[in-house]
Amino acid sequence: SGGSGGSGGSGGSGGGLTLGEGTAWVHTQVRVAKIDQHQVEQLSVGMTPIQFITQRYPGDSSLQHEQDLLRHLGAVGVGYDLANQQIRTLSGGQKCRVVLATVMYQKPHVLIMDEPTNYLDLETVEALIVAIRGFGGGVVCVSHDQHFISSVCKELWLVADGGVRRLEGDFAEYRKVLSQQQKQLGKS
């Protein structure tokens, strides 16, 4: 289906990611979005959520576009009142919801998440789980949050010892394997 690639980068919207080594082939129309634990710090705290997302996605500046953005914010739990108060007054979880809404507005095909539950309250973690379960694209997630992983991941991959391998079973089985390995190390 066509693509572009080569070492050093990717075609399409690569979510701001750069290739460190090797070759990547990415379809020219793919939309990749990245969410990490530091994006909250990049919000313009003097703006309101609706101002922030409108600045990012100005559209045609119509009232209809603003209403669409307000509905989109509302879908992640940032209702009308929250959408119209300064970001600096929002809780950490509410700020994360603004980030999620902003990233998801582009309707990415692939979502890359780096420790997305750090600093989130339980309610926001649950909202994130619901959002990911309803997401129609691919998700790559790096997390140490067992509840989050168990709730959203269909496959587990372990990055260890300079490699990556797919794990058989669920997170509980992975913990058993780790426990067995630790016991064997203790006996050596």
Side-chain angles (χ1 to χ4, degrees), residues 17 32-37 39 96 99-100 103-104 110-117 120 128-129 131-132 135 138-144 148 152:
L17 302 174
V32 177
K34 183 177 181 240
I35 294 178
D36 67 44
Q37 57 189 318
Q39 281 177 290
C96 288
V99 168
L100 180 63
V103 168
M104 296 303 287
V110 178
L111 183 59
I112 299 173
M113 306 181 88
D114 180 13
E115 296 291 353
T117 62
L120 297 186
L128 181 59
I129 289 169
I132 291 172
F135 179 59
V139 178
V140 176
C141 182
V142 175
S143 179
H144 292 89
F148 177 75
V152 300

PDB file of all heavy atoms in Angstrom, residues 17 32-37 39 96 99-100 103-104 110-117 120 128-129 131-132 135 138-144 148 152:
ATOM      1  N   LEU A  17       8.523  11.467  16.577  1.00  0.00           N
ATOM      2  CA  LEU A  17       9.518  10.460  16.900  1.00  0.00           C
ATOM      3  C   LEU A  17      10.580  10.413  15.824  1.00  0.00           C
ATOM      4  O   LEU A  17      10.293  10.612  14.647  1.00  0.00           O
ATOM      5  CB  LEU A  17       8.851   9.082  17.012  1.00  0.00           C
ATOM      6  CG  LEU A  17       7.731   8.974  18.034  1.00  0.00           C
ATOM      7  CD1 LEU A  17       7.067   7.610  17.937  1.00  0.00           C
ATOM      8  CD2 LEU A  17       8.270   9.195  19.434  1.00  0.00           C
ATOM      9  N   VAL A  32       0.446   9.296  13.611  1.00  0.00           N
ATOM     10  CA  VAL A  32       0.953   8.721  14.851  1.00  0.00           C
ATOM     11  C   VAL A  32       0.929   9.828  15.900  1.00  0.00           C
ATOM     12  O   VAL A  32       1.396  10.934  15.644  1.00  0.00           O
ATOM     13  CB  VAL A  32       2.397   8.194  14.682  1.00  0.00           C
ATOM     14  CG1 VAL A  32       2.937   7.663  16.003  1.00  0.00           C
ATOM     15  CG2 VAL A  32       2.448   7.126  13.602  1.00  0.00           C
ATOM     16  N   ALA A  33       0.374   9.520  17.048  1.00  0.00           N
ATOM     17  CA  ALA A  33       0.340  10.494  18.144  1.00  0.00           C
ATOM     18  C   ALA A  33       1.073   9.908  19.336  1.00  0.00           C
ATOM     19  O   ALA A  33       1.057   8.702  19.556  1.00  0.00           O
ATOM     20  CB  ALA A  33      -1.099  10.817  18.523  1.00  0.00           C
ATOM     21  N   LYS A  34       1.720  10.771  20.090  1.00  0.00           N
ATOM     22  CA  LYS A  34       2.472  10.331  21.264  1.00  0.00           C
ATOM     23  C   LYS A  34       1.978  11.083  22.489  1.00  0.00           C
ATOM     24  O   LYS A  34       1.791  12.295  22.452  1.00  0.00           O
ATOM     25  CB  LYS A  34       3.962  10.584  21.054  1.00  0.00           C
ATOM     26  CG  LYS A  34       4.813  10.098  22.198  1.00  0.00           C
ATOM     27  CD  LYS A  34       6.291  10.294  21.906  1.00  0.00           C
ATOM     28  CE  LYS A  34       7.117   9.782  23.068  1.00  0.00           C
ATOM     29  NZ  LYS A  34       7.935  10.796  23.667  1.00  0.00           N
ATOM     30  N   ILE A  35       1.767  10.333  23.552  1.00  0.00           N
ATOM     31  CA  ILE A  35       1.400  10.922  24.837  1.00  0.00           C
ATOM     32  C   ILE A  35       2.452  10.479  25.838  1.00  0.00           C
ATOM     33  O   ILE A  35       2.727   9.287  25.972  1.00  0.00           O
ATOM     34  CB  ILE A  35       0.008  10.458  25.305  1.00  0.00           C
ATOM     35  CG1 ILE A  35      -1.079  10.977  24.360  1.00  0.00           C
ATOM     36  CG2 ILE A  35      -0.257  10.917  26.736  1.00  0.00           C
ATOM     37  CD1 ILE A  35      -2.482  10.527  24.735  1.00  0.00           C
ATOM     38  N   ASP A  36       3.033  11.450  26.531  1.00  0.00           N
ATOM     39  CA  ASP A  36       3.976  11.076  27.582  1.00  0.00           C
ATOM     40  C   ASP A  36       3.684  11.871  28.846  1.00  0.00           C
ATOM     41  O   ASP A  36       2.881  12.800  28.840  1.00  0.00           O
ATOM     42  CB  ASP A  36       5.429  11.222  27.126  1.00  0.00           C
ATOM     43  CG  ASP A  36       5.859  12.651  26.873  1.00  0.00           C
ATOM     44  OD1 ASP A  36       5.538  13.538  27.693  1.00  0.00           O
ATOM     45  OD2 ASP A  36       6.530  12.899  25.862  1.00  0.00           O
ATOM     46  N   GLN A  37       4.346  11.477  29.897  1.00  0.00           N
ATOM     47  CA  GLN A  37       4.075  12.046  31.207  1.00  0.00           C
ATOM     48  C   GLN A  37       4.453  13.524  31.329  1.00  0.00           C
ATOM     49  O   GLN A  37       4.062  14.185  32.279  1.00  0.00           O
ATOM     50  CB  GLN A  37       4.801  11.227  32.270  1.00  0.00           C
ATOM     51  CG  GLN A  37       6.303  11.156  32.039  1.00  0.00           C
ATOM     52  CD  GLN A  37       6.982  10.177  32.953  1.00  0.00           C
ATOM     53  OE1 GLN A  37       6.663  10.110  34.134  1.00  0.00           O
ATOM     54  NE2 GLN A  37       7.922   9.408  32.429  1.00  0.00           N
ATOM     55  N   GLN A  39       3.832  15.955  28.895  1.00  0.00           N
ATOM     56  CA  GLN A  39       3.052  16.859  28.053  1.00  0.00           C
ATOM     57  C   GLN A  39       2.213  17.843  28.859  1.00  0.00           C
ATOM     58  O   GLN A  39       1.935  18.934  28.398  1.00  0.00           O
ATOM     59  CB  GLN A  39       2.189  16.077  27.076  1.00  0.00           C
ATOM     60  CG  GLN A  39       2.995  15.587  25.891  1.00  0.00           C
ATOM     61  CD  GLN A  39       2.179  14.750  24.945  1.00  0.00           C
ATOM     62  OE1 GLN A  39       1.812  13.647  25.273  1.00  0.00           O
ATOM     63  NE2 GLN A  39       1.907  15.293  23.786  1.00  0.00           N
ATOM     64  N   CYS A  96      -4.361  16.361  32.281  1.00  0.00           N
ATOM     65  CA  CYS A  96      -4.074  15.182  31.451  1.00  0.00           C
ATOM     66  C   CYS A  96      -5.198  14.926  30.463  1.00  0.00           C
ATOM     67  O   CYS A  96      -4.962  14.517  29.321  1.00  0.00           O
ATOM     68  CB  CYS A  96      -3.852  13.956  32.329  1.00  0.00           C
ATOM     69  SG  CYS A  96      -2.283  14.017  33.217  1.00  0.00           S
ATOM     70  N   VAL A  99      -4.722  17.194  27.552  1.00  0.00           N
ATOM     71  CA  VAL A  99      -3.681  16.648  26.677  1.00  0.00           C
ATOM     72  C   VAL A  99      -4.255  15.516  25.830  1.00  0.00           C
ATOM     73  O   VAL A  99      -4.058  15.468  24.614  1.00  0.00           O
ATOM     74  CB  VAL A  99      -2.462  16.157  27.500  1.00  0.00           C
ATOM     75  CG1 VAL A  99      -1.514  15.332  26.641  1.00  0.00           C
ATOM     76  CG2 VAL A  99      -1.729  17.342  28.111  1.00  0.00           C
ATOM     77  N   LEU A 100      -4.976  14.594  26.471  1.00  0.00           N
ATOM     78  CA  LEU A 100      -5.564  13.465  25.751  1.00  0.00           C
ATOM     79  C   LEU A 100      -6.512  13.948  24.656  1.00  0.00           C
ATOM     80  O   LEU A 100      -6.449  13.481  23.514  1.00  0.00           O
ATOM     81  CB  LEU A 100      -6.303  12.541  26.724  1.00  0.00           C
ATOM     82  CG  LEU A 100      -6.975  11.318  26.113  1.00  0.00           C
ATOM     83  CD1 LEU A 100      -5.943  10.391  25.483  1.00  0.00           C
ATOM     84  CD2 LEU A 100      -7.782  10.575  27.175  1.00  0.00           C
ATOM     85  N   VAL A 103      -4.469  15.499  21.741  1.00  0.00           N
ATOM     86  CA  VAL A 103      -3.771  14.488  20.934  1.00  0.00           C
ATOM     87  C   VAL A 103      -4.762  13.666  20.111  1.00  0.00           C
ATOM     88  O   VAL A 103      -4.538  13.382  18.935  1.00  0.00           O
ATOM     89  CB  VAL A 103      -2.913  13.580  21.845  1.00  0.00           C
ATOM     90  CG1 VAL A 103      -2.426  12.357  21.107  1.00  0.00           C
ATOM     91  CG2 VAL A 103      -1.741  14.366  22.408  1.00  0.00           C
ATOM     92  N   MET A 104      -5.883  13.305  20.711  1.00  0.00           N
ATOM     93  CA  MET A 104      -6.840  12.429  20.039  1.00  0.00           C
ATOM     94  C   MET A 104      -7.676  13.153  18.980  1.00  0.00           C
ATOM     95  O   MET A 104      -8.292  12.512  18.132  1.00  0.00           O
ATOM     96  CB  MET A 104      -7.765  11.767  21.061  1.00  0.00           C
ATOM     97  CG  MET A 104      -7.025  10.842  22.024  1.00  0.00           C
ATOM     98  SD  MET A 104      -6.083   9.541  21.209  1.00  0.00           S
ATOM     99  CE  MET A 104      -7.406   8.486  20.681  1.00  0.00           C
ATOM    100  N   VAL A 110      -2.187   5.350  15.130  1.00  0.00           N
ATOM    101  CA  VAL A 110      -1.359   4.694  16.144  1.00  0.00           C
ATOM    102  C   VAL A 110      -1.124   5.689  17.280  1.00  0.00           C
ATOM    103  O   VAL A 110      -0.801   6.850  17.042  1.00  0.00           O
ATOM    104  CB  VAL A 110       0.005   4.245  15.565  1.00  0.00           C
ATOM    105  CG1 VAL A 110       0.871   3.612  16.641  1.00  0.00           C
ATOM    106  CG2 VAL A 110      -0.189   3.287  14.395  1.00  0.00           C
ATOM    107  N   LEU A 111      -1.288   5.205  18.494  1.00  0.00           N
ATOM    108  CA  LEU A 111      -1.073   6.016  19.676  1.00  0.00           C
ATOM    109  C   LEU A 111       0.066   5.395  20.476  1.00  0.00           C
ATOM    110  O   LEU A 111       0.019   4.222  20.828  1.00  0.00           O
ATOM    111  CB  LEU A 111      -2.357   6.048  20.517  1.00  0.00           C
ATOM    112  CG  LEU A 111      -2.371   6.893  21.763  1.00  0.00           C
ATOM    113  CD1 LEU A 111      -2.084   8.353  21.442  1.00  0.00           C
ATOM    114  CD2 LEU A 111      -3.728   6.770  22.449  1.00  0.00           C
ATOM    115  N   ILE A 112       1.100   6.179  20.730  1.00  0.00           N
ATOM    116  CA  ILE A 112       2.244   5.729  21.518  1.00  0.00           C
ATOM    117  C   ILE A 112       2.171   6.441  22.863  1.00  0.00           C
ATOM    118  O   ILE A 112       2.096   7.667  22.919  1.00  0.00           O
ATOM    119  CB  ILE A 112       3.574   6.031  20.802  1.00  0.00           C
ATOM    120  CG1 ILE A 112       3.613   5.289  19.463  1.00  0.00           C
ATOM    121  CG2 ILE A 112       4.762   5.676  21.684  1.00  0.00           C
ATOM    122  CD1 ILE A 112       4.785   5.644  18.590  1.00  0.00           C
ATOM    123  N   MET A 113       2.186   5.643  23.925  1.00  0.00           N
ATOM    124  CA  MET A 113       2.031   6.204  25.265  1.00  0.00           C
ATOM    125  C   MET A 113       3.216   5.806  26.134  1.00  0.00           C
ATOM    126  O   MET A 113       3.535   4.629  26.266  1.00  0.00           O
ATOM    127  CB  MET A 113       0.727   5.700  25.884  1.00  0.00           C
ATOM    128  CG  MET A 113      -0.487   5.969  25.010  1.00  0.00           C
ATOM    129  SD  MET A 113      -2.017   5.404  25.747  1.00  0.00           S
ATOM    130  CE  MET A 113      -2.406   6.872  26.683  1.00  0.00           C
ATOM    131  N   ASP A 114       3.862   6.800  26.718  1.00  0.00           N
ATOM    132  CA  ASP A 114       5.015   6.574  27.583  1.00  0.00           C
ATOM    133  C   ASP A 114       4.620   6.933  29.011  1.00  0.00           C
ATOM    134  O   ASP A 114       4.446   8.107  29.338  1.00  0.00           O
ATOM    135  CB  ASP A 114       6.190   7.419  27.109  1.00  0.00           C
ATOM    136  CG  ASP A 114       7.437   7.237  27.950  1.00  0.00           C
ATOM    137  OD1 ASP A 114       7.484   6.278  28.767  1.00  0.00           O
ATOM    138  OD2 ASP A 114       8.367   8.035  27.809  1.00  0.00           O
ATOM    139  N   GLU A 115       4.469   5.922  29.844  1.00  0.00           N
ATOM    140  CA  GLU A 115       4.078   6.084  31.251  1.00  0.00           C
ATOM    141  C   GLU A 115       2.874   7.034  31.385  1.00  0.00           C
ATOM    142  O   GLU A 115       2.926   8.031  32.105  1.00  0.00           O
ATOM    143  CB  GLU A 115       5.251   6.598  32.083  1.00  0.00           C
ATOM    144  CG  GLU A 115       6.426   5.657  32.153  1.00  0.00           C
ATOM    145  CD  GLU A 115       6.169   4.374  32.944  1.00  0.00           C
ATOM    146  OE1 GLU A 115       5.099   4.243  33.574  1.00  0.00           O
ATOM    147  OE2 GLU A 115       7.045   3.498  32.926  1.00  0.00           O
ATOM    148  N   PRO A 116       1.765   6.727  30.715  1.00  0.00           N
ATOM    149  CA  PRO A 116       0.642   7.657  30.699  1.00  0.00           C
ATOM    150  C   PRO A 116      -0.080   7.817  32.027  1.00  0.00           C
ATOM    151  O   PRO A 116      -0.778   8.810  32.222  1.00  0.00           O
ATOM    152  CB  PRO A 116      -0.297   7.050  29.654  1.00  0.00           C
ATOM    153  CG  PRO A 116      -0.011   5.594  29.709  1.00  0.00           C
ATOM    154  CD  PRO A 116       1.481   5.516  29.951  1.00  0.00           C
ATOM    155  N   THR A 117       0.091   6.877  32.957  1.00  0.00           N
ATOM    156  CA  THR A 117      -0.651   6.972  34.213  1.00  0.00           C
ATOM    157  C   THR A 117       0.117   7.684  35.320  1.00  0.00           C
ATOM    158  O   THR A 117      -0.458   7.931  36.383  1.00  0.00           O
ATOM    159  CB  THR A 117      -1.072   5.572  34.712  1.00  0.00           C
ATOM    160  OG1 THR A 117       0.101   4.792  34.971  1.00  0.00           O
ATOM    161  CG2 THR A 117      -1.958   4.875  33.694  1.00  0.00           C
ATOM    162  N   LEU A 120      -1.512  10.569  37.525  1.00  0.00           N
ATOM    163  CA  LEU A 120      -2.961  10.614  37.337  1.00  0.00           C
ATOM    164  C   LEU A 120      -3.682  10.114  38.580  1.00  0.00           C
ATOM    165  O   LEU A 120      -3.231   9.181  39.238  1.00  0.00           O
ATOM    166  CB  LEU A 120      -3.387   9.737  36.150  1.00  0.00           C
ATOM    167  CG  LEU A 120      -2.887  10.114  34.769  1.00  0.00           C
ATOM    168  CD1 LEU A 120      -3.542   9.213  33.722  1.00  0.00           C
ATOM    169  CD2 LEU A 120      -3.153  11.570  34.460  1.00  0.00           C
ATOM    170  N   LEU A 128      -8.944   7.079  31.125  1.00  0.00           N
ATOM    171  CA  LEU A 128      -7.957   6.746  30.095  1.00  0.00           C
ATOM    172  C   LEU A 128      -8.160   5.309  29.615  1.00  0.00           C
ATOM    173  O   LEU A 128      -8.096   5.030  28.420  1.00  0.00           O
ATOM    174  CB  LEU A 128      -6.543   6.949  30.636  1.00  0.00           C
ATOM    175  CG  LEU A 128      -5.386   6.674  29.679  1.00  0.00           C
ATOM    176  CD1 LEU A 128      -5.463   7.564  28.441  1.00  0.00           C
ATOM    177  CD2 LEU A 128      -4.062   6.884  30.394  1.00  0.00           C
ATOM    178  N   ILE A 129      -8.421   4.398  30.530  1.00  0.00           N
ATOM    179  CA  ILE A 129      -8.681   2.999  30.169  1.00  0.00           C
ATOM    180  C   ILE A 129      -9.890   2.910  29.246  1.00  0.00           C
ATOM    181  O   ILE A 129      -9.849   2.234  28.212  1.00  0.00           O
ATOM    182  CB  ILE A 129      -8.866   2.140  31.445  1.00  0.00           C
ATOM    183  CG1 ILE A 129      -7.521   1.971  32.155  1.00  0.00           C
ATOM    184  CG2 ILE A 129      -9.493   0.786  31.106  1.00  0.00           C
ATOM    185  CD1 ILE A 129      -7.625   1.375  33.555  1.00  0.00           C
ATOM    186  N   ALA A 131     -11.083   5.262  27.331  1.00  0.00           N
ATOM    187  CA  ALA A 131     -10.737   5.892  26.046  1.00  0.00           C
ATOM    188  C   ALA A 131      -9.909   4.945  25.180  1.00  0.00           C
ATOM    189  O   ALA A 131     -10.151   4.830  23.972  1.00  0.00           O
ATOM    190  CB  ALA A 131      -9.981   7.201  26.286  1.00  0.00           C
ATOM    191  N   ILE A 132      -8.958   4.261  25.765  1.00  0.00           N
ATOM    192  CA  ILE A 132      -8.112   3.349  24.985  1.00  0.00           C
ATOM    193  C   ILE A 132      -8.913   2.154  24.499  1.00  0.00           C
ATOM    194  O   ILE A 132      -8.772   1.722  23.351  1.00  0.00           O
ATOM    195  CB  ILE A 132      -6.885   2.896  25.809  1.00  0.00           C
ATOM    196  CG1 ILE A 132      -5.947   4.086  26.005  1.00  0.00           C
ATOM    197  CG2 ILE A 132      -6.160   1.745  25.127  1.00  0.00           C
ATOM    198  CD1 ILE A 132      -4.812   3.818  26.946  1.00  0.00           C
ATOM    199  N   PHE A 135     -10.720   3.128  21.482  1.00  0.00           N
ATOM    200  CA  PHE A 135      -9.885   3.630  20.388  1.00  0.00           C
ATOM    201  C   PHE A 135      -9.783   2.572  19.291  1.00  0.00           C
ATOM    202  O   PHE A 135      -9.505   1.412  19.570  1.00  0.00           O
ATOM    203  CB  PHE A 135      -8.499   3.990  20.942  1.00  0.00           C
ATOM    204  CG  PHE A 135      -7.529   4.495  19.923  1.00  0.00           C
ATOM    205  CD1 PHE A 135      -7.795   5.623  19.178  1.00  0.00           C
ATOM    206  CD2 PHE A 135      -6.327   3.835  19.722  1.00  0.00           C
ATOM    207  CE1 PHE A 135      -6.886   6.098  18.250  1.00  0.00           C
ATOM    208  CE2 PHE A 135      -5.406   4.295  18.792  1.00  0.00           C
ATOM    209  CZ  PHE A 135      -5.690   5.431  18.051  1.00  0.00           C
ATOM    210  N   GLY A 138      -4.117   1.390  16.669  1.00  0.00           N
ATOM    211  CA  GLY A 138      -3.127   0.620  17.407  1.00  0.00           C
ATOM    212  C   GLY A 138      -2.569   1.426  18.563  1.00  0.00           C
ATOM    213  O   GLY A 138      -2.469   2.650  18.483  1.00  0.00           O
ATOM    214  N   VAL A 139      -2.225   0.734  19.640  1.00  0.00           N
ATOM    215  CA  VAL A 139      -1.668   1.391  20.814  1.00  0.00           C
ATOM    216  C   VAL A 139      -0.379   0.682  21.212  1.00  0.00           C
ATOM    217  O   VAL A 139      -0.347  -0.544  21.324  1.00  0.00           O
ATOM    218  CB  VAL A 139      -2.650   1.357  22.013  1.00  0.00           C
ATOM    219  CG1 VAL A 139      -2.022   2.002  23.249  1.00  0.00           C
ATOM    220  CG2 VAL A 139      -3.954   2.049  21.666  1.00  0.00           C
ATOM    221  N   VAL A 140       0.678   1.465  21.392  1.00  0.00           N
ATOM    222  CA  VAL A 140       1.924   0.971  21.953  1.00  0.00           C
ATOM    223  C   VAL A 140       2.096   1.722  23.267  1.00  0.00           C
ATOM    224  O   VAL A 140       2.085   2.955  23.285  1.00  0.00           O
ATOM    225  CB  VAL A 140       3.133   1.244  21.021  1.00  0.00           C
ATOM    226  CG1 VAL A 140       4.425   0.802  21.671  1.00  0.00           C
ATOM    227  CG2 VAL A 140       2.923   0.582  19.670  1.00  0.00           C
ATOM    228  N   CYS A 141       2.222   0.970  24.357  1.00  0.00           N
ATOM    229  CA  CYS A 141       2.239   1.613  25.666  1.00  0.00           C
ATOM    230  C   CYS A 141       3.400   1.097  26.496  1.00  0.00           C
ATOM    231  O   CYS A 141       3.613  -0.107  26.590  1.00  0.00           O
ATOM    232  CB  CYS A 141       0.917   1.328  26.372  1.00  0.00           C
ATOM    233  SG  CYS A 141       0.796   2.116  27.970  1.00  0.00           S
ATOM    234  N   VAL A 142       4.133   2.017  27.100  1.00  0.00           N
ATOM    235  CA  VAL A 142       5.173   1.681  28.072  1.00  0.00           C
ATOM    236  C   VAL A 142       4.631   2.108  29.425  1.00  0.00           C
ATOM    237  O   VAL A 142       4.294   3.274  29.625  1.00  0.00           O
ATOM    238  CB  VAL A 142       6.488   2.434  27.767  1.00  0.00           C
ATOM    239  CG1 VAL A 142       7.521   2.170  28.848  1.00  0.00           C
ATOM    240  CG2 VAL A 142       7.005   2.079  26.389  1.00  0.00           C
ATOM    241  N   SER A 143       4.500   1.138  30.338  1.00  0.00           N
ATOM    242  CA  SER A 143       3.950   1.459  31.651  1.00  0.00           C
ATOM    243  C   SER A 143       4.405   0.441  32.677  1.00  0.00           C
ATOM    244  O   SER A 143       4.660  -0.711  32.348  1.00  0.00           O
ATOM    245  CB  SER A 143       2.416   1.481  31.585  1.00  0.00           C
ATOM    246  OG  SER A 143       1.878   1.779  32.860  1.00  0.00           O
ATOM    247  N   HIS A 144       4.466   0.883  33.927  1.00  0.00           N
ATOM    248  CA  HIS A 144       4.745  -0.001  35.055  1.00  0.00           C
ATOM    249  C   HIS A 144       3.488  -0.187  35.895  1.00  0.00           C
ATOM    250  O   HIS A 144       3.530  -0.823  36.942  1.00  0.00           O
ATOM    251  CB  HIS A 144       5.874   0.572  35.916  1.00  0.00           C
ATOM    252  CG  HIS A 144       7.185   0.575  35.224  1.00  0.00           C
ATOM    253  ND1 HIS A 144       7.606   1.637  34.451  1.00  0.00           N
ATOM    254  CD2 HIS A 144       8.150  -0.358  35.141  1.00  0.00           C
ATOM    255  CE1 HIS A 144       8.799   1.355  33.951  1.00  0.00           C
ATOM    256  NE2 HIS A 144       9.147   0.157  34.350  1.00  0.00           N
ATOM    257  N   PHE A 148      -3.405  -0.739  34.930  1.00  0.00           N
ATOM    258  CA  PHE A 148      -3.574  -0.144  33.607  1.00  0.00           C
ATOM    259  C   PHE A 148      -3.231  -1.160  32.511  1.00  0.00           C
ATOM    260  O   PHE A 148      -4.005  -1.375  31.572  1.00  0.00           O
ATOM    261  CB  PHE A 148      -2.695   1.105  33.488  1.00  0.00           C
ATOM    262  CG  PHE A 148      -2.739   1.764  32.147  1.00  0.00           C
ATOM    263  CD1 PHE A 148      -3.837   2.516  31.766  1.00  0.00           C
ATOM    264  CD2 PHE A 148      -1.675   1.644  31.266  1.00  0.00           C
ATOM    265  CE1 PHE A 148      -3.882   3.134  30.525  1.00  0.00           C
ATOM    266  CE2 PHE A 148      -1.708   2.261  30.027  1.00  0.00           C
ATOM    267  CZ  PHE A 148      -2.823   2.998  29.659  1.00  0.00           C
ATOM    268  N   VAL A 152      -5.872  -2.761  29.590  1.00  0.00           N
ATOM    269  CA  VAL A 152      -5.900  -2.316  28.189  1.00  0.00           C
ATOM    270  C   VAL A 152      -5.070  -3.146  27.222  1.00  0.00           C
ATOM    271  O   VAL A 152      -5.301  -3.085  26.015  1.00  0.00           O
ATOM    272  CB  VAL A 152      -5.474  -0.828  28.041  1.00  0.00           C
ATOM    273  CG1 VAL A 152      -6.404   0.088  28.817  1.00  0.00           C
ATOM    274  CG2 VAL A 152      -4.037  -0.611  28.455  1.00  0.00           C
TER     275      VAL A 152
END
